[in-house]
């Protein structure tokens, strides 16, 4: 049941999934790889982790507020 829905979703929206991957996932992976290559990998990992975490928290708060407002209007 779930796999049929997932297959249908992937078949209809494969470009959306690819766009999501290349817009959000791939840059984060590349940043983490670059952070690990330096001599001070420990410091750079903490720095990038803090920056990425802060940005993700802001994005989720904004999306959550929008979701709550949409529910209030309903």
């Amino acid at each position: 049941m779930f796999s049929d829905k997932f297959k249908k979703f992937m078949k209809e929206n494969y470009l959306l999934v690819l766009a999501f991957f290349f817009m959000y996932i791939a840059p984060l992976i590349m940043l983490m790889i670059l952070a690990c290559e330096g001599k001070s990998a420990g410091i750079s990992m903490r720095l990038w982790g803090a920056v990425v975490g802060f940005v993700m928290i802001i994005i989720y708060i904004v999306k959550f507020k929008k979701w709550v407002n949409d529910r209030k209007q309903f």
Side-chain angles (χ1 to χ4, degrees), residues 8-33:
K8 183 179 177 186
F9 175 80
M10 289 300 289
K11 194 175 234 182
E12 293 174 356
N13 299 313
Y14 71 94
L15 292 176
L16 180 67
V17 172
L18 276 173
F20 178 82
F21 177 79
F22 285 113
M23 286 175 61
Y24 297 106
I25 307 299
L28 290 177
I29 292 170
M30 290 170 46
L31 284 174
M32 295 305 291
I33 290 170

Side-chain angles (χ1 to χ4, degrees), residues 22-67:
F22 285 113
M23 286 175 61
Y24 297 106
I25 307 299
L28 290 177
I29 292 170
M30 290 170 46
L31 284 174
M32 295 305 291
I33 290 170
L34 287 173
C36 293
E37 287 182 357
K39 292 181 181 178
S40 58
I43 294 170
S44 59
M45 287 292 287
R46 281 182 269 168
L47 174 66
W48 282 114
V51 169
V52 170
F54 185 69
V55 169
M56 290 178 74
I57 288 171
I58 290 173
I59 290 170
Y60 284 123
I61 288 173
V62 169
K63 296 246 182 210
F64 181 71
K65 283 183 179 180
K66 182 180 177 189
W67 180 75

